[in-house]
Amino acid sequence: MAGQSCLISNDWICGEYLRTRGQELTDATLQHVGITLASVAIGLLVAFPLALLARRWRAAAGPVLGLTTVLYTVPSLAMFSLLVPFFGLSVSVVVTGLVLYSLTILVRNILAGLASVPEEAREAARGMGYGPVRLLFGVELPLALPALMAGLRITTVSTISLTTVGAILHYGGLGNLVYDGMHSYFKAQVLTASVLCVALAVAADLLLLLVQRLLTPWTRAGKGAV
Amino acid sequence: MGVVERTWSWLATGAHWSGPDGVWHRLGEHLFLTAVCLAISCAIALPVAVLLGHLGKGGALAVNISNAGRAVPTFAVLVLLLLSPLGTHGSWPTVIALVLFAIPPLLTNAYVGMREVDRDVVEAARGMGMTGRQLIARVELPLAFPLIVTGVRTAAVQVVATTTLAALPGGGGLGRIITAGFRLTDTAQVVAGAVLVAALALLVEGVLMLAERLFDPVRRRTGPVPG
């Protein structure tokens, strides 16, 4: 049988592998997507107040930016390992590590986005009687969206790629398949999981680009008017 | 005993530092791999970026290559190379993977640095009759220096970090202390290895930042900028 032989001869590309291990691949992909979604969502929830804090008090800006940059320097294997004593061998270790990495770019881009809001827009909103909260969510945040979304795209793509290292704790999504395939020299499994991982990153990037275009229709309208 | 004390006592034990699995040997491997890969990737990426930047061509390639690099998981590439025919050639799979991942930041930053050189200055130099080669050596390179070195620093820190991952498929480097700790379920060793790797990454970042300040040709000539 030609189909069977590609599993036995350990080919890189193997249709039989896709057919017989479909469930395994789906589970790994779902875990990968779940870990990425949780990390990026928590990252946003943490980065937003941090960025606001850094903007409100100049004294806080240096330490916040400095600390998030230092965190980015820590190699992923070390980061996950350092978190093990706090959370045990659980998925929380991987998610926390990825959240910490995401902060560097998210905080920077949210700050840059808020800084790019024209002072006139703020003045106009204040003149119309906007309070600070309504000003933030009604005027500043929408205008900061392009920079924020750019940061979100970079973060999501690198989070998807870094999730694979979670395989050392067996919470690495597709990384688990790469890790296991490495030990058993299973070429089809390693290649398929790697390709899926890259495809996932590209798909997420395009999806976020689409969301950005839908959320900020004025950026395109402006181009046409000029 | 808490994890902190156990980690400290692991690090304080002399036996853990010597021998083929000891910290010194692993640190040596780590630094050797980092230096070799950084040298190779600089030799490939910098001339290309400087030339492209000088000619003002290939900008889209130089910028997009670093975005593409981010989407590809280093760990997967390491394993793929290991399973390929190259896998039997010692540390070559590791070296190639590290070089592949160090090239994008080098290329992008050097290219952007060359392009950000003030066009008026370039025009003035051309007007003075400088040839293309003189322009690169005397005007563009010194002015682009800070961004090029930033690229080298980014790449160096990335290589230090990625060399850690080389331990997963059984390569050398400090990452081996962590993976061995996982296998022995020795949390103290895992944490000790992680602390060593993190410290090395921060140290490399710090040293290169200092070197950047000391060797900047423009800053050196004008003296320290006040304030």
Side-chain angles (χ1 to χ4, degrees):
Chain A
M1 262 165 69
Q4 278 292 340
S5 68
C6 78
L7 277 179
I8 293 164
S9 64
N10 199 10
D11 290 340
W12 283 106
I13 298 165
C14 183
E16 188 64 22
Y17 169 74
L18 290 179
R19 273 192 294 282
T20 53
R21 314 288 169 98
Q23 191 55 44
E24 206 178 274
L25 280 168
T26 317
D27 291 346
T29 310
L30 285 179
Q31 189 188 59
H32 208 112
V33 172
I35 290 173
T36 305
L37 273 181
S39 311
V40 175
I42 298 173
L44 265 180
L45 286 179
V46 177
F48 195 61
L50 277 179
L52 289 182
L53 191 77
R55 185 175 73 139
R56 184 78 179 74
W57 287 284
R58 278 285 168 84
V64 165
L65 286 179
L67 191 69
T68 51
T69 311
V70 165
L71 283 175
Y72 205 66
T73 317
V74 178
S76 48
L77 193 62
M79 179 74 98
F80 291 151
S81 313
L82 281 174
L83 290 168
V84 168
F86 299 101
F87 299 99
L89 296 170
S90 69
V91 73
S92 320
V93 170
V94 180
V95 172
T96 310
L98 293 172
V99 166
L100 290 176
Y101 281 127
S102 74
L103 292 181
T104 315
I105 290 162
L106 285 178
V107 170
R108 255 165 221 281
N109 279 54
I110 295 174
L111 268 179
L114 290 175
S116 72
V117 175
E119 198 49 46
E120 294 86 5
R122 267 194 210 105
E123 282 302 313
R126 278 200 205 97
M128 285 167 70
Y130 274 47
V133 176
R134 221 175 132 207
L135 177 70
L136 178 66
F137 287 100
V139 178
E140 291 180 309
L141 201 58
L143 287 174
L145 265 182
L148 194 154
M149 289 300 291
L152 194 60
R153 282 171 61 200
I154 297 177
T155 305
T156 308
V157 169
S158 36
T159 303
I160 290 176
S161 142
L162 275 174
T163 301
T164 52
V165 181
I168 44 159
L169 301 163
H170 244 270
Y171 289 102
L174 292 162
N176 291 340
L177 296 182
V178 175
Y179 195 67
D180 297 340
M182 172 181 83
H183 288 301
S184 53
Y185 277 83
F186 194 169
K187 289 178 180 172
Q189 178 166 315
V190 172
L191 185 67
T192 312
S194 310
V195 169
L196 270 178
C197 192
V198 175
L200 210 56
V202 173
D205 196 39
L206 290 177
L207 188 71
L208 285 172
L209 185 67
L210 189 73
V211 170
Q212 180 182 352
R213 291 188 135 229
L214 291 177
L215 284 178
T216 58
W218 62 88
T219 50
R220 268 169 301 144
K223 255 180 225 163
V226 177
Chain B
M1 258 204 307
V3 174
V4 178
E5 286 96 349
R6 279 190 289 136
T7 305
W8 178 247
S9 70
W10 192 95
L11 284 171
T13 309
H16 291 143
W17 289 73
S18 54
D21 286 328
V23 174
W24 289 124
H25 181 233
R26 294 299 181 201
L27 183 67
E29 284 177 338
H30 208 110
L31 289 176
F32 177 74
L33 275 174
T34 305
V36 168
C37 296
L38 203 61
I40 297 177
S41 31
C42 279
I44 297 173
L46 292 185
V48 173
V50 166
L51 196 67
L52 286 179
H54 173 70
L55 298 172
K57 284 181 184 141
L61 172 85
V63 174
N64 283 326
I65 202 171
S66 97
N67 290 337
R70 208 176 281 124
V72 181
T74 324
F75 170 50
V77 171
L78 266 171
V79 175
L80 281 173
L81 284 170
L82 187 84
L83 296 190
S84 76
L86 274 169
T88 48
H89 295 75
S91 42
W92 277 109
T94 313
V95 172
I96 292 172
L98 293 174
V99 167
L100 283 180
F101 281 92
I103 285 178
L106 287 170
L107 203 61
T108 306
N109 275 311
Y111 179 84
V112 171
M114 289 293 283
R115 292 313 294 164
E116 295 220 324
V117 172
D118 195 338
R119 286 297 106 191
D120 293 343
V121 177
V122 175
E123 281 308 306
R126 245 190 245 284
M128 283 166 68
M130 278 198 187
T131 63
R133 200 172 295 181
Q134 286 173 324
L135 194 65
I136 293 181
R138 297 199 199 155
V139 179
E140 289 180 314
L141 271 183
L143 288 175
F145 183 84
L147 268 176
I148 295 179
V149 177
T150 304
V152 174
R153 180 159 55 95
T154 313
V157 174
Q158 201 167 316
V159 171
V160 169
T162 318
T163 307
T164 322
L165 288 182
L168 289 177
L174 284 173
R176 279 298 277 274
I177 297 172
I178 299 177
T179 51
F182 267 112
R183 213 167 306 131
L184 301 167
T185 57
D186 180 351
T187 313
Q189 183 176 341
V190 170
V191 176
V195 169
L196 288 169
V197 169
L200 181 68
L202 293 176
L203 188 74
V204 168
E205 167 104 357
V207 166
L208 287 173
M209 262 172 128
L210 203 68
E212 201 173 320
R213 296 235 173 109
L214 287 177
F215 296 113
D216 188 332
V218 176
R219 199 190 283 246
R220 211 168 37 171
R221 201 165 300 167
T222 53
V225 183

